[in-house]
Amino acid sequence: MTMISINDIYQNKVLINNTIAIFGWIRNRRDSKSGFSFIDIYDGSCVHTIQVIVNKSILNYKSEVLKLTIGCSVCVTGILILSIGKKQKYEIQVLKIQILGWVDHPSHYPVSAKKHTYEYLRDIPHLRSRTNFIGVITRIRNHIFHALHQFLYKNNYYWIPTPIITSLNSEGAGEMFRVSTLDMKNIPLNNYGLVDFKKDFFGKECFLTVSGQLTAEAYACSMTKVYTFGPTFRAENSNTTRHLSEFWMLEIEQAFSNLEDIIVLSEIIIKYVIKFVLECCKHDINFLYNYIDKNIFNRLYTFLYSKIIHLNYIDAIKILINSKKKFNYPVHFGIDLSSEHEKYLVDNYFKSSIIIKNYPKNIKAFYMRLNDDNNTVSAMDLLVPGIGEILGGSQREERQVVLESRLSELNLKKEDYSWYIDLRRYGSVPHSGFGLGFERLISYITGVKNIRDLIPFPRIVNHALC
C-alpha cells in the first residue's frame, strides 16, 4: 500500500472512504470510557495533524495502544472519512496500528505537550522541528529556497557552486574562520617565527568563505547570468538576534548590466518569492498570523503592491541629521549606517521599504564601481521594515586601472587578486550583482525576529550544538 502524507489528504489527493496507510508521530492521545482512543498524528508534511480513532477491538489495543505517549512513531492503516467533529476536517478509522518506535522515559521527553519557549528549543535543535512552530518555518524556508531557484532557472541564470574554502576575503575585512589541518599542539613556524602555512594542507593560509561573489563574477564574465547559493561564514563576535556565524546567501552576478538593472531585478525577485509563499504556504502563513504576527498579510501585500522608495546615501544622511534624534552613533557623511539609523529611516520616517544607493567609497568594498565624483560608489542596499538590510549589491568595477588603484588604497595585495584583475584584462564588460541574506528574507516574510529560529542548527558565538 502506498504511503500517504497528511498533506496529500488536505490537498484532496486521497479519496474519502478509501483504505490508506500513514506514518507519523504521536502528538496527543485521549481515551474514552466507551473503549475508543483518539490519537493525533503529525508527519511534518503540513501544519495539520490527523485524528485516528482506535477501537478496543484492535489486537494490540491494551498491550500497546494504551501505552502510546507523545513522540512515539507509528504506522496506521485505516479508512479515511470526513470527521463529524468540529476541530478537524478528516479522521481515520483504524484497522491496524503498528508501533515503530517508543519514547524512552516519557516523563522526560524534551518536547512535551506544553508550550516551550524559543530559548528552550534552541538548546535542543535536533528535536525542535517536532514543534508546530519550527515545522512551519522549515516548510516556508523550503518553499522560499525552491522559489528562488525556480525564478532564476526560468530566467536563464546558471547555478555556479562557488568554493566554500578560499584564500581570499571578498569583503577585504578580517572576520574569517581559518581552515587548517596543522597540528595545533605543534604548529610549524617559518624563519620569521610566524605560522608556516606552506606546510598546511593547501600550502597557503585558507578560510571559510564570506561570499562567493568574486568567483561567481568569473563565470558571469563568460556565461552572462549566473548565481550561487550556499552557506557563508562570518567570524564576527556579534551575539544579536540579527547575526549568525554560518548563514545562507543567494548571490547573483550579471554581465552587461549596471546598478539600476540589479535594483529592478532585486525588487522583482523578492516580489516573486512573496507571491510564491502566499500561494503555496497558505496554512503555514495562517498559523503565523494566528500565533506569531498579526501584521503578516498587511506587510507582505504592502511590499507586493507599493512602490519602493529610492534615495541616495547623502539624502539619507540629511534626513537623519534633520530628525534631531539622538542616536547612539552620531550621524555624518561617511559613516556606515547602523541598525538604529536604518530602523529610523524605514520604520519611522518613510514607513516603507527603501533602497539606499551611491555610498561613500571609504565604507564599501574595493570591487564596487567608482562613480564619476571619485567619492562614492555605485552600490545599493534594500532595507525593509522590522529587519533593516536584507539585500546589498553594486555595479562591479570593470576598469582595470581603477580596480588596481582601489586595491592599493585599501592595502590589498594585487598578486592575491591577479586572477580577478584578469577578468578586467581580458574582454572586460560592465557587470553588476547583489547578495540576498536568505535567513533575513525568511525573517521578513514570516515575522520571526530572531534569526536563530530560522535556520535548523544555528551557529553563533559560543554556541555550535550538533
Side-chain angles (χ1 to χ4, degrees):
M1 185 175 294
T2 303
M3 181 174 67
I4 300 298
S5 73
I6 296 173
N7 189 52
D8 289 336
I9 295 171
Y10 274 85
Q11 294 291 327
N12 298 315
K13 295 179 180 179
V14 185
L15 294 177
I16 299 298
N17 298 323
N18 270 15
T19 300
I20 63 171
I22 66 165
F23 293 77
W25 294 267
I26 306 296
R27 182 150 280 162
N28 191 27
R29 192 196 89 221
R30 307 176 303 283
D31 306 312
S32 71
K33 295 180 180 179
S34 55
F36 290 90
S37 289
F38 302 90
I39 302 175
D40 296 327
I41 296 176
Y42 72 96
D43 65 1
S45 65
C46 63
V47 73
H48 300 291
T49 58
I50 192 161
Q51 179 174 273
V52 303
I53 305 171
V54 191
N55 191 298
K56 65 180 180 181
S57 62
I58 295 293
L59 288 177
N60 58 343
Y61 184 76
K62 287 186 178 180
S63 62
E64 293 185 321
V65 172
L66 291 179
K67 297 178 182 178
L68 287 172
T69 59
I70 295 172
C72 291
S73 57
V74 295
C75 171
V76 172
T77 303
I79 301 171
L80 178 69
I81 62 173
L82 291 173
S83 177
I84 60 173
K86 295 182 179 180
K87 292 184 177 180
Q88 61 277 326
K89 185 175 181 180
Y90 305 101
E91 56 191 27
I92 296 174
Q93 293 179 334
V94 175
L95 301 175
K96 178 184 177 182
I97 183 167
Q98 178 185 2
I99 289 76
L100 303 176
W102 294 95
V103 169
D104 292 337
H105 308 294
S107 61
H108 296 143
Y109 181 56
V111 192
S112 61
K114 70 176 184 179
K115 185 176 181 179
H116 298 290
T117 65
Y118 300 141
E119 290 78 11
Y120 171 79
L121 292 175
R122 286 178 209 130
D123 287 332
I124 51 169
H126 59 300
L127 296 174
R128 67 176 183 167
S129 59
R130 301 184 181 200
T131 64
N132 267 333
F133 169 65
I134 297 297
V136 164
I137 297 301
T138 301
R139 285 186 293 273
I140 292 176
R141 181 186 174 98
N142 177 71
H143 278 82
I144 295 173
F145 183 87
H146 178 71
L148 290 167
H149 281 289
Q150 184 184 89
F151 174 90
L152 293 163
Y153 180 78
K154 285 181 177 180
N155 287 278
N156 302 311
Y157 287 81
Y158 298 104
W159 170 64
I160 308 299
T162 54
I164 289 177
I165 298 174
T166 179
S167 60
L168 288 179
N169 185 340
S170 299
E171 300 298 324
E175 298 93 359
M176 301 180 75
F177 289 103
R178 184 173 286 107
V179 175
S180 176
T181 59
L182 293 177
D183 182 357
M184 295 296 104
K185 295 180 180 179
N186 187 27
I187 297 176
L189 303 178
N190 59 24
N191 294 334
Y192 301 99
L194 303 175
V195 177
D196 189 357
F197 287 105
K198 290 182 179 180
K199 296 182 180 179
D200 208 345
F201 186 90
F202 292 105
K204 63 187 337 184
E205 191 174 17
C206 286
F207 310 89
L208 294 178
T209 186
V210 298
S211 169
Q213 176 204 316
L214 301 189
T215 43
E217 275 187 64
Y219 269 72
C221 291
S222 57
M223 306 296 292
T224 302
K225 299 199 298 186
V226 304
Y227 73 100
T228 184
F229 198 166
T232 53
F233 307 86
R234 304 282 169 91
E236 297 174 351
N237 191 11
S238 298
N239 195 5
T240 75
T241 59
R242 299 174 70 244
H243 290 88
L244 291 168
S245 297
E246 177 184 335
F247 59 96
W248 281 66
M249 190 154 62
L250 168 71
E251 297 177 278
I252 295 176
E253 293 296 324
Q254 182 170 302
F256 314 109
S257 65
N258 59 29
L259 181 66
E260 295 304 317
D261 293 326
I262 62 159
I263 287 176
V264 171
L265 175 63
S266 67
E267 294 183 23
I268 291 173
I269 196 169
I270 293 179
K271 288 183 178 181
Y272 180 91
V273 170
I274 290 175
K275 285 181 180 178
F276 190 95
V277 170
L278 286 170
E279 290 172 3
C280 300
C281 304
K282 294 177 182 177
H283 296 300
D284 289 323
I285 293 294
N286 280 328
F287 175 90
L288 294 173
Y289 172 81
N290 290 325
Y291 296 101
I292 304 296
D293 182 13
K294 291 294 183 183
N295 190 47
I296 188 168
F297 288 106
N298 178 60
R299 179 176 63 257
L300 298 181
Y301 282 112
T302 296
F303 190 95
L304 286 179
Y305 301 111
S306 298
K307 187 175 181 180
I308 296 177
I309 297 166
H310 295 195
L311 71 158
N312 285 317
Y313 168 89
I314 184 62
D315 296 316
I317 292 296
K318 288 177 182 177
I319 290 170
L320 292 170
I321 292 174
N322 293 335
S323 72
K324 306 299 182 184
K325 181 177 174 60
K326 292 184 178 179
F327 295 104
N328 292 325
Y329 296 95
V331 179
H332 57 85
F333 185 89
I335 64 163
D336 197 359
L337 298 179
S338 68
S339 58
E340 63 172 339
H341 302 142
E342 295 174 348
K343 181 178 177 61
Y344 176 81
L345 290 168
V346 174
D347 296 337
N348 299 103
Y349 188 84
F350 289 107
K351 297 179 180 175
S352 167
S353 298
I354 64 174
I355 285 178
I356 301 177
K357 55 188 179 180
N358 297 318
Y359 284 83
K361 68 175 183 178
N362 293 334
I363 61 172
K364 289 297 182 179
F366 69 91
Y367 52 75
M368 297 184 177
R369 194 182 199 277
L370 190 64
N371 288 328
D372 292 340
D373 61 10
N374 275 336
N375 192 35
T376 61
V377 290
S378 294
M380 56 80 73
D381 289 325
L382 171 58
L383 313 180
V384 297
I387 305 296
E389 180 193 342
I390 63 169
L391 181 152
S394 74
Q395 184 170 340
R396 312 313 189 189
E397 183 54 76
E398 85 280 11
R399 298 163 296 184
Q400 179 185 342
V401 173
V402 180
L403 177 63
E404 291 180 339
S405 175
R406 290 287 289 141
L407 287 167
S408 297
E409 285 178 23
L410 295 169
N411 295 318
L412 296 172
K413 296 178 181 179
K414 292 180 185 178
E415 56 267 30
D416 291 340
Y417 296 88
S418 59
W419 66 269
Y420 189 66
I421 296 171
D422 276 352
L423 301 177
R424 280 73 182 165
R425 182 179 290 118
Y426 306 131
S428 183
V429 297
H431 60 287
S432 306
F434 63 78
L436 170 64
F438 188 49
E439 282 77 24
R440 289 194 180 181
L441 175 60
I442 300 171
S443 179
Y444 179 65
I445 289 175
T446 62
V448 176
K449 300 301 181 185
N450 197 320
I451 204 166
R452 302 171 195 180
D453 300 322
L454 301 171
I455 191 169
F457 299 95
R459 267 73 176 115
I460 57 174
V461 179
N462 297 321
H463 191 97
L465 295 177
C466 297

